[in-house]
């Protein structure tokens, strides 16, 4: 992240803070701390005030914090014990007074007690939900470039690994191969536990890979993604090992059409439920609506599941330069599942697919 | 998990609930839900009452929940929307009255508001901390057998990969190799982001693997672990690429002696701080105390970091059949780091090492 982007992000956050009349904001959710400061340690919080920002972390991260925040005009303070208690102590130590926001959807009840303990009326802690997450929905140019690469990496790896599939290979061999190839290309890890679900196991949308061998005449669902320089990708393809019966080809066609219909309505001012409605309408036409048991997608970025959820009742607009997944699927107990998923950048000029593995039905 | 173990666990939890005079307990932390019910989905909560238990989850997990809970005498209820709201609705729908505990160190402030919303005085929600975690500290025979295998898997893989190390290999190539070999042996993934830190980068205890090539005459710290059938292992070795200067051999000796001293004091009635004090005393003798910037270890099980923390001020006893890591280290800015870590089962008869990769200083 360039120092300029980082300054812009803190500036936009301070605008939100001013609007909410809060004197400080305790940011403790790790992806939010990284987004605002560039700090990548897994224990740290950022105290943002109108004219200063301070990272609190522990002694394991002293060197790392100074390196990562170099030039960022963010102070570093090394503390002992729970960070929430340290945040309160830091404010009290400076005779701070006023209203301080904290991330109520991220802070536990136990930690919020630590925030309040000892504040004795001089600090008014108040819950705030989604302030940094709202900024994160709009990806800047640098983020889009990173996400494009994370998506390309996943696409290349999945395309390669699909070419290796054959009956007898175990599901866990396939995940091993996928994660190895992602790592070798520089990914810091999978963005979630890689799913390889063959045959009837494909009917579980979140099946873990097992030692089950892939069977002849089975559907295989592969759902995988890479974290590359902090940004996530998320990609699913379904193939058939053998020559598929007509009904399976028909189901695949239905899912692919639902995917296309959902992509077509993606624009910055579309409501987050619109792609879901579009996908569901196509599947209804095929009599498969009941087999589609999850929502159509979700935001993607520093985390693999971000706002918004592309599901019924979600009225907020997608927003400019947002990145979402489109992943309709059908799940038929005893038979298996079919899901096709891509990562899509939502631009005023229309949707742009970031993942580009072949989308045609493959019979291997 | 056998059905018998599962019944025992619920029974012990209900004893704790009775002692605390609570009529029900809303368990929402995923490893705790798995521990009590066997459910492995990543979205679900368990409502435990004196004479019944109900798993709440969403439609993506319908089939999986019924499969995983088969025979367990736990009801399954498929719900929409936030689980916390569903838990309240479930109790109110049954005209429940009384005091219900929730996991205050796991539930966010936003979710606790959802628990309370609409409860209108008929339910008294109260925070409870560490009830299931306290049960989890004591590993039963089946868990110990699983952890032994997870530890052996990590030991075998690390031993193999150390034999492959040579200058020029990139840090990320080494992580790729480690995770590939873990996967091929059936691991569902690494238990944390594998650390390979070479040369001066080793001075960062939590360094991420980069594309930096391993250099000649550098220390290389490798910290890795596998999740095998839900249980974690955690293992660190440090090697030198070349012939090490005398001072590095002396540092290694200091860390290894600290490791041995910490292991020697492990017994069920030892306070959790004792191994830390023992390790620190050895390093003080070498003038290296200031270079040891983290605590000596932590509990290990379904999560890679569990209670207790083996650090100063931790007075609780380790407990019978607990499993902890012992991982002293020294970190010298600009030079690198040395850490030696093993997983140890704490028995009345003495400590038993679960990991068994060679512990001697290797100069490759």
């Amino acid at each position: 992240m360039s120092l300029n982007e980082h300054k812009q992000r803190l500036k936009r956050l301070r605008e939100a803070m001013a609007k909410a009349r809060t004197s400080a904001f305790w940011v403790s959710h790790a992806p939010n701390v990284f987004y605002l400061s560039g700090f990548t340690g897994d224990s740290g919080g950022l105290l943002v005030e109108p004219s200063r920002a301070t990272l609190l972390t522990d002694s394991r991260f002293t060197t790392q914090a100074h390196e990562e925040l170099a030039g960022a005009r963010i102070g570093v303070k090394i503390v002992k014990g729970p960070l929430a208690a340290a945040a309160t102590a830091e404010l009290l130590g400076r005779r701070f007074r006023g209203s301080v926001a904290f991330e109520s959807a991220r802070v536990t009840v136990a930690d919020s007690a630590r925030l309040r303990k000892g504040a004795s009326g001089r600090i008014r802690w108040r819950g705030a939900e989604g302030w940094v997450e709202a900024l994160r929905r709009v990806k800047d140019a640098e983020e889009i470039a990173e996400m494009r690469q994370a998506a390309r990496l996943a696409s290349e790896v999945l395309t390669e690994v699909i070419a290796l599939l054959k009956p007898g290979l175990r599901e866990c061999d396939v995940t091993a191969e996928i994660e190895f190839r992602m790592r070798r290309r520089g990914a810091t890890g999978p963005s979630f536990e890689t799913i390889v679900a063959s045959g009837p196991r494909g009917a579980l949308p979140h099946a873990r890979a097992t030692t089950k061998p892939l069977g002849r005449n089975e559907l295989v669902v592969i759902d995988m993604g890479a974290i590359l320089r902090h940004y996530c990708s998320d990609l699913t393809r379904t193939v058939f090992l053998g020559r598929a019966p007509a009904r399976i080809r028909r189901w695949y066609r239905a899912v692919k059409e639902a995917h296309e219909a959902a992509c077509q309505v993606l624009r910055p001012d579309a409501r987050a439920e619109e792609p879901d409605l579009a996908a569901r309408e196509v599947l209804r036409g095929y009599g498969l609506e009941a087999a589609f048991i999850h929502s159509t997608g979700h935001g993607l970025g520093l985390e693999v599941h971000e706002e918004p959820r592309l599901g019924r009742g979600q009225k907020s607009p997608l927003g400019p330069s947002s990145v979402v997944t489109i992943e309709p699927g059908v799940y038929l107990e005893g038979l298996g599942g079919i899901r096709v998923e891509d990562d899509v950048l939502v631009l005023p000029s229309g949707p742009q697919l970031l993942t580009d593995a072949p989308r045609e039905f493959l019979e291997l």
Side-chain angles (χ1 to χ4, degrees), chain A:
Chain A
M1 178 177 57
S2 72
L3 286 178
N4 190 41
E5 280 307 340
H6 145 84
K7 264 165 60 182
Q8 285 301 317
R9 292 173 189 176
L10 275 176
K11 182 168 170 278
R12 279 193 292 270
L13 180 64
R14 284 172 172 138
E15 287 164 6
M17 287 165 56
K19 214 183 277 178
R21 296 177 183 280
T22 184
S23 323
F25 185 19
W26 170 238
V27 182
S28 56
H29 183 53
N32 290 345
V33 171
F34 171 73
Y35 181 77
L36 296 171
S37 73
F39 178 67
T40 65
D42 57 11
S43 171
L46 192 66
L47 206 48
V48 181
E49 296 169 72
S51 57
R52 73 165 111 190
T54 313
L55 179 84
L56 308 186
T57 184
D58 68 61
S59 57
R60 294 170 300 167
F61 298 101
T62 310
T63 307
Q64 183 176 334
H66 282 105
E67 275 179 24
E68 292 179 340
L69 272 61
R73 291 180 55 184
I74 294 177
V76 173
K77 184 141 192 178
I78 304 302
V79 299
K80 288 188 176 186
L83 288 170
T88 297
E90 167 74 10
L91 290 168
L92 289 174
R94 293 199 275 98
R95 310 195 159 279
F96 177 94
R97 273 178 176 281
S99 150
V100 185
F102 70 96
E103 300 174 290
S104 50
R106 310 293 188 174
V107 169
T108 65
V109 172
D111 271 335
S112 90
R114 289 191 187 98
L115 287 175
R116 286 171 213 282
K117 200 177 156 183
S120 69
R122 283 169 55 193
I123 300 173
R124 291 190 308 281
W125 287 101
R126 47 175 284 195
E129 229 173 292
W131 289 7
V132 184
E133 287 81 352
L135 302 180
R136 283 171 49 197
R137 275 173 79 148
V138 180
K139 268 67 177 176
D140 60 42
E142 219 166 313
E143 292 184 289
I144 291 169
E146 296 288 13
M147 293 197 71
R148 214 180 277 284
Q149 292 203 33
R152 186 169 304 141
L153 190 157
S155 307
E156 286 170 5
V157 167
L158 186 50
T159 306
E160 282 176 16
V161 169
I162 282 176
L164 305 175
L165 296 183
K166 57 179 183 213
L169 216 56
R170 298 172 305 167
E171 292 176 349
C172 65
D173 295 332
V174 182
T175 55
E177 203 58 52
I178 288 171
E179 293 177 6
F180 181 68
R181 287 166 190 253
M182 295 197 304
R183 274 289 199 183
R184 287 294 298 265
R185 282 177 164 81
T188 49
S191 49
F192 55 92
E193 197 177 317
T194 306
I195 293 169
V196 176
S198 59
R201 298 194 67 259
L204 310 173
H206 280 217
R208 283 194 165 80
T210 66
T211 53
K212 173 189 175 303
L214 311 185
R216 200 168 291 284
N217 297 319
E218 280 187 347
L219 284 163
V220 184
V221 182
I222 306 183
D223 189 348
M224 48 79 78
I227 307 176
L228 181 64
R229 290 188 298 275
H230 309 288
Y231 284 87
C232 297
S233 52
D234 188 356
L235 174 65
T236 307
R237 290 293 181 264
T238 305
V239 302
F240 192 84
L241 293 185
R243 180 140 174 78
R247 63 173 183 175
I248 286 187
R249 274 192 256 166
R250 182 172 170 275
W251 293 339
Y252 193 94
R253 197 165 60 239
V255 171
K256 191 156 169 283
E257 282 176 20
H259 177 285
E260 285 157 8
C263 286
Q264 264 163 24
V265 301
L266 293 176
R267 39 174 213 284
D269 60 349
R271 297 184 311 277
E273 68 174 356
E274 285 184 54
D276 188 70
L277 297 171
R280 236 165 263 282
E281 195 183 312
V282 171
L283 292 173
R284 192 178 309 123
Y286 280 86
L288 286 168
E289 203 201 358
F292 179 27
I293 57 178
H294 53 72
S295 54
T296 295
H298 51 82
L300 187 72
L302 291 172
E303 291 174 277
V304 72
H305 289 111
E306 297 190 355
E307 288 296 313
R309 188 170 66 79
L310 306 192
R312 220 183 294 239
Q314 302 294 313
K315 306 291 185 191
S316 72
L318 294 174
S321 308
S322 55
V323 177
V324 298
T325 69
I326 292 295
E327 49 177 312
V330 295
Y331 305 90
L332 297 138
E333 217 177 314
L335 291 168
I338 295 172
R339 182 164 68 254
V340 177
E341 175 186 31
D342 285 286
D343 304 340
V344 192
L345 169 63
V346 182
L347 295 174
S349 58
Q352 206 177 91
L353 287 157
L354 300 181
T355 38
D356 58 4
R359 226 159 276 115
E360 298 74 49
F361 186 42
L362 292 177
E363 297 169 289
L364 303 174

